Amino acid sequence: MSEDVVKYEKSDGVAILTLNRPKSLNSMSLELINGWLAKLHFAEHDPDVRVVVITGEGRGFCAGGDLPSLDNLKTTEERRNFVAQAGMVVKLISSMSKPVIAMVNGVAAGAGFNIAIACDLCYAAQGVKFIQSFANIGLAPDCGGYYFLAKTVGLAKAKELMFTARPLLADEAHSLGLVNDVFPLEKLREKTMAVAKQIAGAAPLALAMMKKEINNYGASLDETLTYEAMAMAMLLGTEDFREGIKAFSEKRAPVFKGK
């Protein structure tokens, strides 16, 4: 587990993962991808963590694939394995039980754009650029771009952004529903962490159930109602539910334990 390319810190139930290749705008080398996966796995199994925040060191969030690394891939198998490994970052973000928040401090290009919108919530600094930059270098989207972008903005807008590779400023990304909110850069960490810590105070089992089903977007009504009945039956039997009822009657904040 690399301690250098992805930094890991904790604060009040929130793990902060910082991509740490600032000279390349945190572009994705194999080392960074593997470090990212390791830290996400660690956060998922860290009992002190209830929410994960992902951000970048320096001027970028993530500028997508590291071009020298991509150019050094000599066989089709090597190329496929690299892209599949990068895709595992998105798969883990989506499948882990804990909410994941993108704190986009700088440019999010290519795979960096797609990973940001794969997170459960996304907050960005004013003026930050989101770019589906693949067409500019003769490539096509990876890291779930086809899935997450079209799902959020619709087919026509997704095609426009992919085909033209035009940059979106954070405010436009917000208006399209790709970003939850936009803040001045100097306020971004404070505002994002306030949301993260609020969510970290919620019932972990309930959050996990919510995330699992809302990410199953496209399920039929019957499938959704079946899941709801199963989830509620389980949650109604938890200590957290009893604590929530008790705290409500006592007019105090609940203290959830994930049990």
Side-chain angles (χ1 to χ4, degrees), residues 31-244:
E31 182 188 17
L32 184 134
I33 292 168
N34 289 335
W36 201 343
L37 289 169
K39 296 298 171 64
L40 286 169
H41 277 291
F42 188 79
E44 172 72 336
H45 296 99
D46 188 336
D48 297 327
V49 169
R50 295 188 178 179
V51 177
V52 177
V53 171
I54 298 171
T55 192
E57 187 70 35
R59 298 182 298 109
F61 174 74
C62 176
D66 180 66
L67 295 183
S69 296
L70 294 173
D71 195 42
N72 284 333
L73 300 171
K74 300 307 181 186
T75 69
T76 299
E77 184 179 4
E78 286 178 336
R79 296 163 187 149
R80 183 184 295 114
N81 289 341
F82 183 96
V83 175
Q85 189 75 348
M88 289 299 297
V89 174
V90 168
K91 186 172 181 179
L92 186 50
I93 286 170
S94 296
S95 64
M96 66 190 298
S97 63
K98 299 171 184 180
V100 181
I101 301 174
M103 183 165 67
V104 183
N105 56 298
V107 65
F113 183 143
N114 294 334
I115 291 172
I117 64 174
C119 294
D120 300 302
L121 299 174
C122 181
Y123 297 97
Q126 287 176 346
V128 158
K129 291 181 180 179
F130 292 80
I131 313 171
Q132 289 286 320
S133 52
F134 303 96
N136 287 338
I137 54 172
L139 295 177
D142 58 359
C143 286
Y146 298 108
Y147 180 81
F148 290 105
L149 188 60
K151 180 176 168 181
T152 305
V153 302
L155 284 174
K157 181 59 70 172
K159 289 175 184 178
E160 175 199 326
L161 295 174
M162 288 180 180
F163 295 172
T164 67
R166 74 171 181 87
L168 291 175
L169 292 181
D171 284 336
E172 184 179 0
H174 182 214
S175 72
L176 290 173
L178 294 165
V179 171
N180 291 88
D181 212 339
V182 178
F183 305 111
L185 178 59
E186 64 273 15
K187 292 285 187 180
L188 178 64
R189 184 179 177 105
E190 173 192 337
K191 296 292 189 179
T192 303
M193 288 299 294
V195 175
K197 290 177 181 180
Q198 178 184 356
I199 296 171
L205 296 175
L207 288 174
M209 290 287 190
M210 291 177 201
K211 177 171 176 174
K212 180 177 180 180
E213 184 59 11
I214 203 165
N215 280 349
N216 191 27
Y217 182 83
S220 70
L221 177 58
D222 284 346
E223 290 168 335
T224 300
L225 292 173
T226 298
Y227 179 85
E228 289 173 354
M230 179 276 295
M232 286 291 282
M234 190 280 284
L235 292 170
L236 285 166
T238 62
E239 292 181 20
D240 279 354
F241 172 65
R242 292 191 290 275
E243 164 63 9

